[in-house]
Amino acid sequence: MIDRRPFDRLGGADHGWLKAKHHFSFASYYDPKNMNWGALRVWNDDEIAPNTGFPPHPHADMEIITYVRSGAITHQDNLGNTGRTEAGDVQVMSAGSGIRHSEYNLEPEATRIFQIWIEPNRTGGAPSWGAKPFPKGDRSGKFVTLASGFDNDGDVLPIRTDARVLGATLKAGESTTYDLGKSRHAYLVPAVGSVTVNGVQLNARDGAAISNEDVITVTALEDAELVLVDAA
């Protein structure tokens, strides 16, 4: 089953400094029928104006993954972590028992991100933060794992949940597959470009909620950049 979620039908808000679209119920966009997709709780498509951002605020018991689509985001938290994550790269914050952080766009142009929240397998635990570059050339024509809760996924950003976050870049006409399994929940968004997913067309920034599919086959109708979450 593939349920297409068109970008122009997503909930959202325009705060001036922040233009946000919400794939799931979030903040002032409340939809009790669209609270999550398996363990995936939030997928926000955010555009942050230059020299603005999210001031310090707390989180607990959530895995928060930020995929930077353009520009850069600068992180600071009460653990002493600081970092700047650029376009195409990823940062992960495991909120655990509690963390307080800020995320600012200190660039001269707008920064665009996907902000993804996945419910953890267990509550509590020491909070943590990390970031990692993922050159787009390394994921040309195939899905590459960016963050994972599975030990055998190797040198990726760790998350404390039964899930993976993956990225791929495809040239027009290229196809790639991902072995999902019918018991899993996947959510796929093209950051750029249009694709078909098992025959269902998605345009840029549309979402696809996928379940009861053994294999996902993605074909690019034009050059595309993809983000996929595979969750319990």
Side-chain angles (χ1 to χ4, degrees):
M1 185 199 80
I2 299 177
D3 179 19
R4 176 173 171 256
R5 312 278 178 87
F7 176 77
D8 60 6
R9 298 184 194 171
L10 299 178
D14 186 344
H15 301 286
W17 67 273
L18 171 67
K19 296 179 173 65
K21 289 287 190 178
H22 308 308
H23 286 262
F24 301 98
S25 185
F26 187 85
S28 60
Y29 165 59
Y30 177 64
D31 181 354
K33 297 180 181 178
N34 188 29
M35 297 299 294
N36 62 290
W37 188 245
L40 175 61
R41 175 61 189 87
V42 169
W43 191 310
N44 289 345
D45 183 323
D46 291 341
E47 179 179 314
I48 307 164
N51 300 304
T52 65
F54 301 91
H57 59 283
H59 289 287
D61 294 326
M62 192 65 69
E63 303 301 295
I64 299 175
I65 301 100
T66 303
Y67 180 95
V68 182
R69 295 163 42 221
S70 65
I73 200 78
T74 297
H75 169 95
Q76 187 169 356
D77 63 45
N78 65 327
L79 304 178
N81 297 309
T82 61
R84 178 178 176 274
T85 305
E86 299 181 346
D89 298 340
V90 178
Q91 69 172 19
V92 165
M93 188 172 68
S94 292
S97 59
I99 190 170
R100 187 173 180 83
H101 74 119
S102 63
E103 307 290 338
Y104 285 108
N105 173 20
L106 303 180
E107 313 305 312
E109 70 277 340
T111 286
R112 297 173 179 86
I113 64 173
F114 288 148
Q115 184 183 168
I116 297 165
W117 297 11
I118 307 175
E119 296 171 352
N121 285 346
R122 60 191 183 279
T123 58
S128 65
W129 174 86
K132 189 174 175 63
F134 289 96
K136 292 183 181 179
D138 292 352
R139 44 189 148 126
S140 178
K142 62 183 179 181
F143 281 109
V144 169
T145 303
L146 310 175
S148 174
F150 299 103
D151 292 339
N152 60 356
D153 277 341
D155 187 22
V156 299
L157 288 164
I159 51 178
R160 302 169 187 175
T161 186
D162 181 12
R164 289 186 181 95
V165 181
L166 307 104
T169 58
L170 299 178
K171 296 292 187 183
E174 280 189 323
S175 295
T176 190
T177 61
Y178 178 74
D179 293 331
L180 179 65
K182 290 188 176 181
S183 65
R184 305 287 292 175
H185 293 79
Y187 201 86
L188 185 146
V189 181
V192 175
S194 61
V195 300
T196 61
V197 183
N198 289 7
V200 176
Q201 183 170 337
L202 300 181
N203 298 319
R205 300 161 75 186
D206 290 350
I210 305 165
S211 65
N212 200 34
E213 301 278 346
D214 277 329
V215 178
I216 301 170
T217 300
V218 184
T219 300
L221 303 178
E222 54 192 14
D223 291 357
E225 178 183 346
L226 310 170
V227 181
L228 171 68
V229 168
D230 167 4

